[in-house]
Amino acid sequence: MPDYSVAVSELPHAIEWKDGELYLLDQTLLPQQELMEQQRTVEQVWQAIRELKVRGAPAIGIAAAYGLCVALKDRVNLSVNEFIKMAKEKAAFLDSARPTAVNLSWAMKRMVARLDQVPKITSRQLYESLIEEAEKIHAEDIALCQGMGKMGAPLIKDGMGIMTHCNAGSIATSATGTATAPMYMAHQNGVRFKVYANETRPLLQGARLTSWELQKAGLDVTLITDNMAAHMMATGQIDMVIVGTDRVAANGDVANKIGTLGVAILADYYQIPFYVACPSSTIDMETACGRDIEIEERSGDEVTTIMGKRIAPENIKTRCPAFDVTPNKLVRGIITENQIITAPYDEGLREFFKGKENG
Ligand code: MRU
């Protein structure tokens, strides 16, 4: 019987809540420096999300949930009504940090909803119930990662080459990641396979983060530049692609880090299965299709520089969409915590949530 438990404590952590204080791993410094930075204000948490100090869809939802607690820590003397009003304002503020990953607004809605579910006796009690909710979101994410690992690991066979894009790993979540969860589980169960991590320009999450965390965990990981993906597939070195996602629309279209669409089209051309792994909190049934997903446009500085060093002429025009949308027809399956959902996605996703409601 395979062992599906992975020692989460041994993996790098992006988020810590300790003695009522929030600490975030500054991922912009990796892999050179591992710095846990205390978050003292809600503005600092907003900035950390905006600047990708904390990043990855599930992680920004969890960080924002704790960020709301940071915002309200010194407001427990407010009246209950004023406290609730302020909580809603700060939740909206945190939600504005980045638009594409639905986990951010999902977490903020859940935190605000908690205020309606508890007796409104004192602001301190409301504050404590918000901490409880943030800790719950955090703890649940560990179980979700475990579930995705369990569902996805059997897809990975001895000798396979698996490509991934961006970082959908432990530091993008609170445990074994989304795309990496099946990899960690298969590795733990003795399956021997290679992971090819695309570097992921412009901010190099593949080069700086995925290759770092997988290497640290003892997986066989090889870093390639983004423009090597076609060659690796054409020469038979890739058997499967697994990526994470920031938002899945109700029809199964998938938004993920810029460059994912190109990888999916290549995988289709070379008949390589392309899987997406995500927890249910990343599936947005209120967004009908990929066209309706807001794609974050970031500063052109991310294109004209690499790690702070300018590589392009002054005054060059740039574009910097941070995500792209892969149409559902290119997706072989969506690996969730409970099942692998396959086409037709509109029906599959509806049934998935119906199943959850019915327990
Ligand atoms: O801009 P980022 O680094 O936050 O983008 C992250 C991604 O695109 C990940 O693939 C996605 O959030 C899945 S994380 C488990």
Side-chain angles (χ1 to χ4, degrees):
M1 183 68 179
D3 178 5
Y4 286 118
S5 57
V6 171
V8 171
S9 58
E10 286 164 25
L11 297 171
H13 280 68
I15 302 163
E16 264 176 41
W17 179 258
K18 218 169 41 196
D19 303 326
E21 307 286 354
L22 174 62
Y23 299 83
L24 297 175
L25 175 67
D26 183 348
Q27 298 188 33
T28 63
L29 303 177
L30 291 172
Q32 281 79 17
Q33 205 184 333
E34 287 177 48
L35 177 77
M36 287 307 282
E37 193 177 47
Q38 187 176 348
Q39 307 295 307
R40 295 173 201 278
T41 65
V42 66
E43 289 76 19
Q44 196 184 349
V45 179
W46 187 94
Q47 202 73 21
I49 296 171
R50 180 78 204 145
E51 291 175 359
L52 274 61
K53 286 183 172 187
V54 61
R55 45 143 306 279
I60 61 178
I62 299 162
Y66 285 127
L68 189 59
C69 302
V70 171
L72 297 166
K73 188 177 178 189
D74 296 327
R75 307 301 174 124
V76 290
N77 293 332
L78 291 176
S79 73
V80 164
N81 283 345
E82 281 169 345
F83 183 89
I84 293 175
K85 186 167 171 272
M86 172 140 306
K88 288 183 178 167
E89 276 168 24
K90 299 298 177 192
F93 171 64
L94 285 162
D95 193 8
S96 72
R98 294 187 78 188
T100 306
V102 71
N103 302 63
L104 181 54
S105 52
W106 171 87
M108 292 300 89
K109 279 186 199 140
R110 196 168 141 171
M111 293 292 281
V112 168
R114 176 69 192 247
L115 295 174
D116 288 332
Q117 292 154 7
V118 291
K120 294 168 192 55
I121 305 163
T122 66
S123 293
R124 176 160 296 282
Q125 282 166 319
L126 290 178
Y127 170 68
E128 277 160 11
S129 68
L130 286 177
I131 294 180
E132 254 175 47
E133 193 65 20
E135 285 178 330
K136 210 161 146 212
I137 291 172
H138 196 178
E140 280 171 15
D141 190 61
I142 299 177
L144 294 172
C145 291
Q146 203 80 355
M148 283 177 275
K150 202 165 166 175
M151 290 296 119
L155 297 169
I156 301 177
K157 310 280 186 237
D158 262 325
M160 272 189 165
I162 302 171
M163 179 174 284
T164 190
H165 192 76
C166 194
N167 174 269
S170 65
I171 52 177
T173 62
S174 53
T176 49
T178 61
T180 56
M183 302 179 198
Y184 282 122
M185 294 245 171
H187 173 71
Q188 164 147 326
N189 287 315
V191 182
R192 286 200 298 273
F193 58 96
K194 289 181 189 299
V195 182
Y196 291 92
N198 296 342
E199 68 172 346
T200 319
R201 265 288 278 159
L203 294 180
L204 305 171
Q205 288 91 332
R208 296 185 303 104
L209 310 178
T210 303
S211 59
W212 170 76
E213 76 159 81
L214 293 185
Q215 185 186 55
K216 215 169 144 76
L219 275 76
D220 181 348
V221 56
T222 303
L223 175 64
I224 59 171
T225 61
D226 295 338
N227 54 3
M228 294 173 189
H231 172 78
M232 296 302 290
M233 290 188 189
T235 51
Q237 299 179 70
I238 307 298
D239 301 288
M240 177 161 66
V241 177
I242 314 180
V243 296
T245 170
D246 288 79
R247 188 183 298 239
V248 177
N251 72 340
D253 290 348
V254 169
N256 193 44
K257 180 51 57 193
I258 193 75
T260 303
L261 172 60
V263 174
I265 293 169
L266 287 171
D268 184 54
Y269 184 84
Y270 289 107
Q271 299 184 355
I272 295 166
F274 176 92
Y275 285 95
V276 174
C278 70
S280 43
S281 51
T282 306
I283 302 171
D284 178 10
M285 296 303 278
E286 285 167 24
T287 296
C289 66
R291 265 194 319 276
D292 300 333
I293 299 176
E294 185 181 346
I295 299 295
E296 178 182 8
E297 182 87 24
R298 295 185 61 86
S299 161
D301 294 348
E302 294 179 3
V303 177
T304 56
T305 60
I306 295 184
M307 302 304 291
K309 185 172 175 357
R310 190 160 186 102
I311 52 158
E314 294 296 334
N315 301 322
I316 192 75
K317 288 196 285 186
T318 56
R319 283 291 312 277
C320 192
F323 299 93
D324 55 29
V325 174
T326 298
N328 57 18
K329 67 175 181 205
L330 300 183
V331 179
R332 175 67 63 92
I334 300 176
I335 305 168
T336 71
E337 65 271 22
N338 302 118
Q339 67 179 93
I340 300 180
I341 303 168
T342 52
Y345 287 103
D346 41 6
E347 201 180 303
L349 290 167
R350 251 196 332 266
E351 288 303 313
F352 173 66
F353 281 106
K354 216 185 275 169
K356 276 192 170 292
E357 269 167 34
N358 299 336

